[in-house]
């Protein structure tokens, strides 16, 4: 099982990709070395650095049929991967 779950494709992540930084959701137990090795193996690029952060789940409430339903979003870990100069990842290559 890979430590990479999915690339994160938000407006901020797209702006970072112009700077050679790519954002991925990873497993909660993955460390920086495992993430770098997985990126290099999957995309065939050289990784300069990896920054990780945990996004803590937060409470959300919505109304349904006049009743309040509350829950918690999932906690996940994301990694910002900086590539060496001249390297790029084409995330949209697999999408048809």
């Amino acid at each position: 099982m890979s430590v990479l779950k999915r690339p994160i494709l938000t407006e901020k992540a797209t702006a970072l990709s112009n700077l050679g930084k790519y954002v991925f959701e990873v497993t909660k137990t993955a460390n920086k070395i495992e993430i770098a090795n997985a990126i290099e193996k999957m995309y065939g690029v050289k990784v300069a650095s990896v920054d990780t952060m945990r996004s803590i789940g937060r409470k959300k409430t919505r109304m349904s049929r006049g009743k309040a339903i509350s829950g918690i979003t999932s906690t996940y870990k994301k990694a910002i991967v900086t590539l060496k100069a001249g390297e790029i990842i084409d995330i949209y290559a697999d999408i048809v």
Side-chain angles (χ1 to χ4, degrees), residues 59-93:
K59 290 184 178 180
K60 294 184 87 171
T61 305
R62 66 181 174 91
M63 296 299 290
S64 177
R65 295 188 177 197
K67 296 180 183 176
I69 298 174
S70 61
I72 301 174
T73 60
S74 299
T75 298
Y76 64 94
K77 186 174 188 177
K78 61 183 174 180
I80 300 175
V81 178
T82 304
L83 302 180
K84 293 197 176 183
E87 299 276 351
I88 60 168
I89 294 176
D90 189 10
I91 294 174
Y92 300 104

Short mmCIF file of all heavy atoms in Angstrom, two decimals, residues 59-93:
data_model
loop_
_atom_site.label_atom_id
_atom_site.label_comp_id
_atom_site.label_asym_id
_atom_site.label_seq_id
_atom_site.Cartn_x
_atom_site.Cartn_y
_atom_site.Cartn_z
N LYS A 59 -15.79 20.33 13.76
CA LYS A 59 -17.22 20.08 13.88
C LYS A 59 -17.99 20.82 12.80
O LYS A 59 -17.66 21.96 12.47
CB LYS A 59 -17.73 20.53 15.25
CG LYS A 59 -17.24 19.68 16.39
CD LYS A 59 -17.88 20.13 17.68
CE LYS A 59 -17.44 19.25 18.83
NZ LYS A 59 -18.06 19.67 20.09
N LYS A 60 -18.99 20.16 12.27
CA LYS A 60 -19.87 20.77 11.29
C LYS A 60 -21.30 20.44 11.68
O LYS A 60 -21.59 19.33 12.15
CB LYS A 60 -19.59 20.25 9.88
CG LYS A 60 -18.23 20.66 9.35
CD LYS A 60 -18.05 20.21 7.94
CE LYS A 60 -18.63 21.27 7.03
NZ LYS A 60 -18.32 21.02 5.61
N THR A 61 -22.19 21.39 11.51
CA THR A 61 -23.60 21.19 11.83
C THR A 61 -24.44 21.62 10.64
O THR A 61 -24.15 22.64 10.01
CB THR A 61 -23.99 22.02 13.08
OG1 THR A 61 -23.12 21.67 14.15
CG2 THR A 61 -25.41 21.76 13.49
N ARG A 62 -25.48 20.83 10.36
CA ARG A 62 -26.40 21.21 9.29
C ARG A 62 -27.81 20.88 9.74
O ARG A 62 -28.03 20.07 10.64
CB ARG A 62 -26.08 20.48 7.98
CG ARG A 62 -26.28 19.00 8.03
CD ARG A 62 -25.91 18.34 6.70
NE ARG A 62 -25.96 16.91 6.79
CZ ARG A 62 -27.03 16.18 6.50
NH1 ARG A 62 -28.15 16.77 6.11
NH2 ARG A 62 -26.99 14.87 6.58
N MET A 63 -28.77 21.54 9.11
CA MET A 63 -30.18 21.32 9.45
C MET A 63 -30.78 20.33 8.46
O MET A 63 -30.56 20.43 7.26
CB MET A 63 -30.94 22.64 9.40
CG MET A 63 -30.48 23.67 10.41
SD MET A 63 -30.68 23.13 12.11
CE MET A 63 -32.45 23.17 12.25
N SER A 64 -31.54 19.36 9.00
CA SER A 64 -32.21 18.38 8.17
C SER A 64 -33.58 18.10 8.76
O SER A 64 -33.68 17.62 9.90
CB SER A 64 -31.39 17.09 8.10
OG SER A 64 -32.08 16.12 7.36
N ARG A 65 -34.63 18.45 8.02
CA ARG A 65 -36.01 18.27 8.47
C ARG A 65 -36.27 18.94 9.82
O ARG A 65 -36.91 18.37 10.70
CB ARG A 65 -36.37 16.80 8.53
CG ARG A 65 -36.36 16.14 7.18
CD ARG A 65 -36.91 14.75 7.28
NE ARG A 65 -36.95 14.16 5.94
CZ ARG A 65 -37.65 13.11 5.63
NH1 ARG A 65 -38.40 12.53 6.54
NH2 ARG A 65 -37.64 12.64 4.42
N GLY A 66 -35.70 20.09 9.99
CA GLY A 66 -35.94 20.86 11.21
C GLY A 66 -35.10 20.45 12.40
O GLY A 66 -35.27 20.98 13.48
N LYS A 67 -34.21 19.51 12.22
CA LYS A 67 -33.34 19.06 13.31
C LYS A 67 -31.89 19.34 12.95
O LYS A 67 -31.49 19.25 11.79
CB LYS A 67 -33.51 17.56 13.55
CG LYS A 67 -34.88 17.16 14.00
CD LYS A 67 -34.97 15.68 14.21
CE LYS A 67 -36.38 15.30 14.60
NZ LYS A 67 -36.53 13.84 14.71
N ALA A 68 -31.12 19.65 13.97
CA ALA A 68 -29.69 19.89 13.77
C ALA A 68 -28.94 18.56 13.81
O ALA A 68 -29.09 17.79 14.75
CB ALA A 68 -29.15 20.83 14.83
N ILE A 69 -28.15 18.30 12.78
CA ILE A 69 -27.31 17.10 12.73
C ILE A 69 -25.87 17.57 12.79
O ILE A 69 -25.45 18.40 11.97
CB ILE A 69 -27.56 16.30 11.45
CG1 ILE A 69 -28.99 15.82 11.40
CG2 ILE A 69 -26.60 15.14 11.34
CD1 ILE A 69 -29.38 15.15 10.11
N SER A 70 -25.13 17.09 13.78
CA SER A 70 -23.74 17.52 13.90
C SER A 70 -22.83 16.33 13.68
O SER A 70 -23.19 15.17 13.92
CB SER A 70 -23.48 18.14 15.26
OG SER A 70 -23.72 17.21 16.27
N GLY A 71 -21.64 16.61 13.21
CA GLY A 71 -20.64 15.58 12.97
C GLY A 71 -19.26 16.19 12.94
O GLY A 71 -19.08 17.39 13.21
N ILE A 72 -18.28 15.37 12.64
CA ILE A 72 -16.89 15.82 12.60
C ILE A 72 -16.29 15.41 11.27
O ILE A 72 -16.47 14.28 10.81
CB ILE A 72 -16.08 15.19 13.75
CG1 ILE A 72 -16.68 15.57 15.10
CG2 ILE A 72 -14.62 15.59 13.69
CD1 ILE A 72 -16.04 14.87 16.27
N THR A 73 -15.57 16.34 10.61
CA THR A 73 -14.86 16.00 9.39
C THR A 73 -13.62 15.16 9.75
O THR A 73 -13.15 15.18 10.89
CB THR A 73 -14.42 17.26 8.62
OG1 THR A 73 -13.56 18.03 9.45
CG2 THR A 73 -15.62 18.09 8.20
N SER A 74 -13.09 14.45 8.80
CA SER A 74 -11.97 13.56 9.04
C SER A 74 -10.66 14.33 9.22
O SER A 74 -10.43 15.35 8.57
CB SER A 74 -11.80 12.59 7.88
OG SER A 74 -12.95 11.80 7.73
N THR A 75 -9.81 13.82 10.09
CA THR A 75 -8.46 14.34 10.23
C THR A 75 -7.59 13.67 9.18
O THR A 75 -7.69 12.47 8.96
CB THR A 75 -7.91 14.02 11.64
OG1 THR A 75 -8.74 14.66 12.60
CG2 THR A 75 -6.48 14.52 11.80
N TYR A 76 -6.76 14.46 8.51
CA TYR A 76 -5.88 13.90 7.50
C TYR A 76 -4.53 14.60 7.53
O TYR A 76 -4.37 15.65 8.16
CB TYR A 76 -6.50 13.97 6.11
CG TYR A 76 -6.74 15.37 5.59
CD1 TYR A 76 -5.81 15.99 4.79
CD2 TYR A 76 -7.90 16.06 5.89
CE1 TYR A 76 -6.01 17.27 4.30
CE2 TYR A 76 -8.13 17.33 5.42
CZ TYR A 76 -7.17 17.93 4.63
OH TYR A 76 -7.38 19.20 4.16
N LYS A 77 -3.55 13.99 6.87
CA LYS A 77 -2.21 14.54 6.81
C LYS A 77 -1.91 14.89 5.37
O LYS A 77 -2.25 14.14 4.45
CB LYS A 77 -1.21 13.49 7.31
CG LYS A 77 0.21 13.97 7.44
CD LYS A 77 1.06 12.88 8.10
CE LYS A 77 2.43 13.40 8.43
NZ LYS A 77 3.22 12.36 9.14
N LYS A 78 -1.29 16.05 5.17
CA LYS A 78 -0.91 16.41 3.81
C LYS A 78 0.56 16.78 3.76
O LYS A 78 1.15 17.20 4.76
CB LYS A 78 -1.79 17.52 3.25
CG LYS A 78 -1.77 18.84 3.97
CD LYS A 78 -2.77 19.77 3.30
CE LYS A 78 -2.91 21.05 4.08
NZ LYS A 78 -3.86 21.97 3.44
N ALA A 79 1.13 16.60 2.59
CA ALA A 79 2.56 16.85 2.39
C ALA A 79 2.73 17.83 1.23
O ALA A 79 2.09 17.68 0.19
CB ALA A 79 3.28 15.55 2.08
N ILE A 80 3.59 18.82 1.44
CA ILE A 80 3.97 19.74 0.38
C ILE A 80 5.37 19.32 -0.07
O ILE A 80 6.33 19.40 0.69
CB ILE A 80 3.96 21.20 0.86
CG1 ILE A 80 2.56 21.56 1.33
CG2 ILE A 80 4.43 22.13 -0.25
CD1 ILE A 80 2.45 22.94 1.93
N VAL A 81 5.45 18.85 -1.31
CA VAL A 81 6.68 18.29 -1.85
C VAL A 81 7.32 19.32 -2.77
O VAL A 81 6.70 19.76 -3.74
CB VAL A 81 6.40 16.98 -2.62
CG1 VAL A 81 7.66 16.42 -3.21
CG2 VAL A 81 5.72 15.98 -1.72
N THR A 82 8.56 19.70 -2.47
CA THR A 82 9.32 20.62 -3.31
C THR A 82 10.27 19.80 -4.17
O THR A 82 11.04 18.99 -3.65
CB THR A 82 10.12 21.62 -2.46
OG1 THR A 82 9.22 22.29 -1.57
CG2 THR A 82 10.83 22.64 -3.33
N LEU A 83 10.21 20.03 -5.49
CA LEU A 83 11.06 19.29 -6.41
C LEU A 83 12.32 20.08 -6.72
O LEU A 83 12.36 21.30 -6.54
CB LEU A 83 10.31 19.00 -7.70
CG LEU A 83 9.00 18.22 -7.58
CD1 LEU A 83 8.40 18.02 -8.96
CD2 LEU A 83 9.23 16.89 -6.90
N LYS A 84 13.35 19.37 -7.19
CA LYS A 84 14.58 20.04 -7.59
C LYS A 84 14.31 20.86 -8.84
O LYS A 84 13.34 20.64 -9.55
CB LYS A 84 15.67 19.00 -7.84
CG LYS A 84 16.07 18.31 -6.54
CD LYS A 84 17.39 17.61 -6.67
CE LYS A 84 17.72 17.03 -5.29
NZ LYS A 84 19.01 16.38 -5.27
N ALA A 85 15.17 21.83 -9.11
CA ALA A 85 14.99 22.76 -10.22
C ALA A 85 14.88 22.01 -11.54
O ALA A 85 15.65 21.08 -11.81
CB ALA A 85 16.14 23.75 -10.26
N GLY A 86 13.91 22.39 -12.36
CA GLY A 86 13.72 21.78 -13.66
C GLY A 86 12.81 20.57 -13.68
O GLY A 86 12.45 20.08 -14.74
N GLU A 87 12.41 20.07 -12.53
CA GLU A 87 11.53 18.89 -12.44
C GLU A 87 10.08 19.35 -12.35
O GLU A 87 9.77 20.34 -11.70
CB GLU A 87 11.87 18.07 -11.19
CG GLU A 87 13.28 17.54 -11.15
CD GLU A 87 13.42 16.23 -11.92
OE1 GLU A 87 12.41 15.66 -12.32
OE2 GLU A 87 14.57 15.81 -12.11
N ILE A 88 9.18 18.62 -13.02
CA ILE A 88 7.75 18.90 -12.93
C ILE A 88 6.98 17.58 -12.82
O ILE A 88 7.47 16.54 -13.23
CB ILE A 88 7.22 19.71 -14.14
CG1 ILE A 88 7.44 18.95 -15.45
CG2 ILE A 88 7.82 21.08 -14.20
CD1 ILE A 88 6.70 19.52 -16.62
N ILE A 89 5.78 17.65 -12.24
CA ILE A 89 4.88 16.52 -12.17
C ILE A 89 3.63 16.89 -12.94
O ILE A 89 3.01 17.93 -12.68
CB ILE A 89 4.49 16.19 -10.71
CG1 ILE A 89 5.71 15.70 -9.94
CG2 ILE A 89 3.40 15.13 -10.67
CD1 ILE A 89 5.44 15.45 -8.47
N ASP A 90 3.25 16.05 -13.92
CA ASP A 90 2.02 16.28 -14.67
C ASP A 90 0.91 15.47 -14.03
O ASP A 90 0.72 14.29 -14.33
CB ASP A 90 2.20 15.90 -16.13
CG ASP A 90 1.04 16.33 -17.00
OD1 ASP A 90 0.17 17.09 -16.50
OD2 ASP A 90 0.99 15.90 -18.17
N ILE A 91 0.18 16.09 -13.10
CA ILE A 91 -0.87 15.40 -12.34
C ILE A 91 -2.05 15.05 -13.25
O ILE A 91 -2.71 14.04 -13.06
CB ILE A 91 -1.32 16.26 -11.15
CG1 ILE A 91 -0.16 16.38 -10.16
CG2 ILE A 91 -2.54 15.68 -10.46
CD1 ILE A 91 -0.42 17.31 -9.02
N TYR A 92 -2.29 15.86 -14.26
CA TYR A 92 -3.44 15.66 -15.12
C TYR A 92 -3.19 14.66 -16.25
O TYR A 92 -4.05 14.43 -17.07
CB TYR A 92 -3.89 17.00 -15.73
CG TYR A 92 -4.29 18.01 -14.70
CD1 TYR A 92 -3.45 19.08 -14.37
CD2 TYR A 92 -5.48 17.89 -14.01
CE1 TYR A 92 -3.81 20.01 -13.42
CE2 TYR A 92 -5.86 18.80 -13.05
CZ TYR A 92 -5.02 19.86 -12.77
OH TYR A 92 -5.36 20.77 -11.83
N ALA A 93 -2.03 14.02 -16.30
CA ALA A 93 -1.69 13.10 -17.40
C ALA A 93 -2.57 11.86 -17.40
O ALA A 93 -2.89 11.33 -18.46
CB ALA A 93 -0.22 12.70 -17.30
#
